[in-house]
């Protein structure tokens, strides 16, 4: 997808909410035995529940992609969904959304979960104000330290970081049976969420004028924030 936000939550901080959560997950109570939770979402920071934003033991990790790769990924994914909807709802399907049309929407702020610059800046500003709770991820070692599971010298020397990076790599995850054959909410095949996973793939699609427009927009929207690409 376009943005990934991961929440690391100590469930004890939710007090009475735990009982409510158990009630709503009948048959899966064993999943609640751990004192911590790992939750993935794409919602903007202002839309997160207050119980999450005010929870001192909830840590937020924001994976921020280059806006140009962000756009190309979104464009491909939207066209996949359009084609899928056409098949499922049995209506005449026109041509896929052109890259020119998609770019116009993207630069106008018409995007999933709102304008990409607002989405980025929401988490970026929180990471500056609350660095112990919100992290802009850029390397595995920093993530481990952020959530309280830093690597020992021995683990580093044994190549544990590299091993984890391999286990979490795009190609490794894409090869899982659940991602090759499973579905999301019974409608979208999980494999549709995996395309190339290559940084800089935008170079294969964007014209120089498109690149100039996106770069100018990004510089304008992020000016003064300290966030640069």
């Amino acid at each position: 997808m376009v943005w990934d936000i991961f929440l690391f939550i100590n469930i004890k901080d939710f007090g009475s909410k735990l009982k409510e959560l158990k009630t709503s997950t009948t048959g899966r109570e064993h999943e609640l035995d751990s004192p911590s939770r790992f939750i993935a979402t794409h919602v903007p920071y202002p839309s997160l529940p207050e119980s999450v934003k005010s929870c001192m033991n909830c840590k937020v990790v924001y994976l921020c992609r280059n806006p140009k790769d962000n756009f190309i990924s979104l464009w491909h994914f939207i066209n996949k969904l359009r084609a899928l909807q056409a098949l499922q709802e049995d209506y005449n399907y026109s041509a896929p959304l052109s890259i020119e049309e998609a770019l116009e929407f993207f630069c106008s702020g018409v995007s999933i979960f709102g304008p990409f610059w607002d989405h980025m800046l929401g988490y970026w500003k929180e990471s500056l104000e609350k660095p112990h709770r919100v992290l802009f991820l850029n390397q595995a070692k920093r993530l481990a330290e952020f959530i309280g599971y830093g690597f020992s010298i021995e683990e580093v020397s044994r190549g544990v970081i590299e091993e984890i990076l391999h286990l979490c790599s795009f190609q490794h995850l894409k090869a899982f049976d659940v991602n090759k054959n499973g579905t999301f909410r019974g409608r979208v095949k999980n494999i549709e969420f995996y395309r190339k996973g290559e940084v800089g793939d935008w170079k294969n699609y964007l014209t120089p004028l498109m690149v100039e427009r996106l770069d100018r927009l990004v510089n304008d929207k992020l000016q003064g924030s300290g966030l640069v690409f």
Side-chain angles (χ1 to χ4, degrees):
M1 278 297 289
V2 184
W3 303 280
D4 287 307
I5 304 103
F6 300 101
L7 311 179
F8 298 87
I9 300 174
N10 187 324
I11 202 68
K12 293 179 181 178
D13 292 323
F14 285 83
S16 60
K17 291 287 185 181
L18 179 58
K19 184 176 181 180
E20 178 184 334
L21 182 59
K22 286 186 175 181
T23 302
S24 64
T25 55
T26 304
R28 296 189 291 131
E29 290 81 358
H30 63 282
E31 297 179 9
L32 300 172
D33 292 338
S34 171
S36 301
R37 288 289 168 275
F38 175 81
I39 302 172
T41 183
H42 294 294
V43 300
Y45 187 84
S47 298
L48 289 177
E50 287 301 323
S51 58
V52 171
K53 290 188 286 187
S54 62
C55 176
M56 296 306 296
N57 285 332
C58 174
K59 292 181 177 289
V60 179
V61 177
Y62 185 83
L63 302 184
C64 186
R65 300 182 65 185
N66 179 292
K68 292 190 282 288
D69 278 328
N70 181 324
F71 165 67
I72 293 300
S73 177
L74 178 62
W75 172 52
H76 279 287
F77 188 68
I78 286 177
N79 277 333
K80 288 180 180 179
L81 293 185
R82 282 162 61 93
L84 177 64
Q85 185 179 29
L87 290 173
Q88 293 179 339
E89 299 186 6
D90 192 27
Y91 68 85
N92 293 328
Y93 177 58
S94 59
L97 191 68
S98 71
I99 192 170
E100 291 81 9
E101 292 175 299
L103 183 63
E104 194 63 39
F105 284 130
F106 194 69
C107 291
S108 299
V110 181
S111 183
I112 299 175
F113 303 109
F116 72 87
W117 54 86
D118 285 344
H119 202 288
M120 292 178 180
L121 287 175
Y123 284 92
W124 171 252
K125 291 176 180 177
E126 288 299 316
S127 74
L128 297 179
E129 295 176 7
K130 304 170 185 174
H132 60 293
R133 292 193 53 221
V134 181
L135 170 70
F136 256 59
L137 180 65
N138 60 5
Q139 55 178 298
K141 182 177 180 181
R142 189 178 175 196
L143 172 60
E145 294 170 349
F146 179 71
I147 62 176
Y149 292 92
F151 296 102
S152 66
I153 296 177
E154 180 185 356
E155 287 173 326
V156 173
S157 64
R158 286 195 290 112
V160 172
I161 295 178
E162 288 72 19
E163 184 178 348
I164 292 176
L165 289 176
H166 168 69
L167 292 174
C168 298
S169 67
F170 183 89
Q171 294 302 328
H172 185 74
L173 295 176
K174 186 177 182 179
F176 283 3
D177 182 68
V178 66
N179 290 329
K180 290 191 295 184
N181 303 306
T183 60
F184 176 68
R185 295 181 178 175
R187 300 187 64 185
V188 182
K189 294 181 179 180
N190 290 342
I191 196 63
E192 301 294 355
F193 292 94
Y194 293 83
R195 195 173 63 87
K196 286 186 176 181
E198 294 180 3
V199 175
D201 187 46
W202 58 266
K203 297 176 184 177
N204 298 316
Y205 298 93
L206 299 178
T207 66
L209 286 177
M210 290 177 174
V211 172
E212 181 182 353
R213 181 181 182 184
L214 272 172
D215 285 343
R216 187 169 59 249
L217 177 65
V218 170
N219 291 336
D220 178 59
K221 295 298 184 180
L222 304 185
Q223 185 176 16
S225 68
L227 179 59
V228 295
F229 291 92

mmCIF file of all heavy atoms in Angstrom, residues 7 9 66 76 133 187 207:
data_model
loop_
_atom_site.group_PDB
_atom_site.id
_atom_site.type_symbol
_atom_site.label_atom_id
_atom_site.label_comp_id
_atom_site.label_asym_id
_atom_site.label_seq_id
_atom_site.Cartn_x
_atom_site.Cartn_y
_atom_site.Cartn_z
ATOM 1 N N LEU A 7 1.200 0.116 15.187
ATOM 2 C CA LEU A 7 0.992 0.499 16.574
ATOM 3 C C LEU A 7 1.427 -0.651 17.471
ATOM 4 O O LEU A 7 0.977 -1.784 17.305
ATOM 5 C CB LEU A 7 -0.487 0.812 16.832
ATOM 6 C CG LEU A 7 -1.178 1.762 15.851
ATOM 7 C CD1 LEU A 7 -2.635 1.936 16.244
ATOM 8 C CD2 LEU A 7 -0.467 3.102 15.813
ATOM 9 N N ILE A 9 1.113 -1.748 21.180
ATOM 10 C CA ILE A 9 0.281 -1.362 22.316
ATOM 11 C C ILE A 9 0.425 -2.339 23.474
ATOM 12 O O ILE A 9 0.377 -3.555 23.290
ATOM 13 C CB ILE A 9 -1.207 -1.304 21.902
ATOM 14 C CG1 ILE A 9 -1.395 -0.271 20.787
ATOM 15 C CG2 ILE A 9 -2.092 -0.970 23.093
ATOM 16 C CD1 ILE A 9 -2.797 -0.245 20.219
ATOM 17 N N ASN A 66 8.886 7.494 -0.492
ATOM 18 C CA ASN A 66 9.108 8.608 -1.394
ATOM 19 C C ASN A 66 7.791 8.907 -2.118
ATOM 20 O O ASN A 66 7.140 7.986 -2.631
ATOM 21 C CB ASN A 66 10.192 8.229 -2.406
ATOM 22 C CG ASN A 66 10.472 9.338 -3.395
ATOM 23 O OD1 ASN A 66 9.636 9.668 -4.234
ATOM 24 N ND2 ASN A 66 11.655 9.910 -3.310
ATOM 25 N N HIS A 76 -1.233 1.969 -9.521
ATOM 26 C CA HIS A 76 -1.378 0.560 -9.887
ATOM 27 C C HIS A 76 -2.463 -0.120 -9.052
ATOM 28 O O HIS A 76 -3.284 -0.885 -9.574
ATOM 29 C CB HIS A 76 -0.049 -0.179 -9.690
ATOM 30 C CG HIS A 76 0.920 -0.003 -10.815
ATOM 31 N ND1 HIS A 76 0.767 -0.609 -12.040
ATOM 32 C CD2 HIS A 76 2.068 0.717 -10.899
ATOM 33 C CE1 HIS A 76 1.770 -0.277 -12.836
ATOM 34 N NE2 HIS A 76 2.574 0.525 -12.166
ATOM 35 N N ARG A 133 7.639 8.157 21.324
ATOM 36 C CA ARG A 133 6.389 7.454 21.044
ATOM 37 C C ARG A 133 6.094 7.302 19.555
ATOM 38 O O ARG A 133 5.362 6.397 19.160
ATOM 39 C CB ARG A 133 5.220 8.188 21.712
ATOM 40 C CG ARG A 133 5.250 8.134 23.229
ATOM 41 C CD ARG A 133 3.923 8.591 23.800
ATOM 42 N NE ARG A 133 2.828 7.845 23.205
ATOM 43 C CZ ARG A 133 1.669 8.394 22.847
ATOM 44 N NH1 ARG A 133 1.477 9.688 22.994
ATOM 45 N NH2 ARG A 133 0.718 7.657 22.328
ATOM 46 N N ARG A 187 -12.518 -10.557 -0.685
ATOM 47 C CA ARG A 187 -12.731 -9.940 -1.997
ATOM 48 C C ARG A 187 -11.433 -9.700 -2.761
ATOM 49 O O ARG A 187 -11.313 -10.052 -3.924
ATOM 50 C CB ARG A 187 -13.477 -8.607 -1.842
ATOM 51 C CG ARG A 187 -14.845 -8.734 -1.202
ATOM 52 C CD ARG A 187 -15.583 -7.415 -1.247
ATOM 53 N NE ARG A 187 -15.852 -6.990 -2.612
ATOM 54 C CZ ARG A 187 -16.393 -5.818 -2.919
ATOM 55 N NH1 ARG A 187 -16.686 -4.962 -1.968
ATOM 56 N NH2 ARG A 187 -16.627 -5.501 -4.178
ATOM 57 N N THR A 207 7.245 11.019 -16.576
ATOM 58 C CA THR A 207 7.984 11.847 -17.526
ATOM 59 C C THR A 207 8.727 12.937 -16.752
ATOM 60 O O THR A 207 8.401 13.217 -15.590
ATOM 61 C CB THR A 207 7.024 12.513 -18.523
ATOM 62 O OG1 THR A 207 6.197 13.454 -17.811
ATOM 63 C CG2 THR A 207 6.139 11.481 -19.212
#
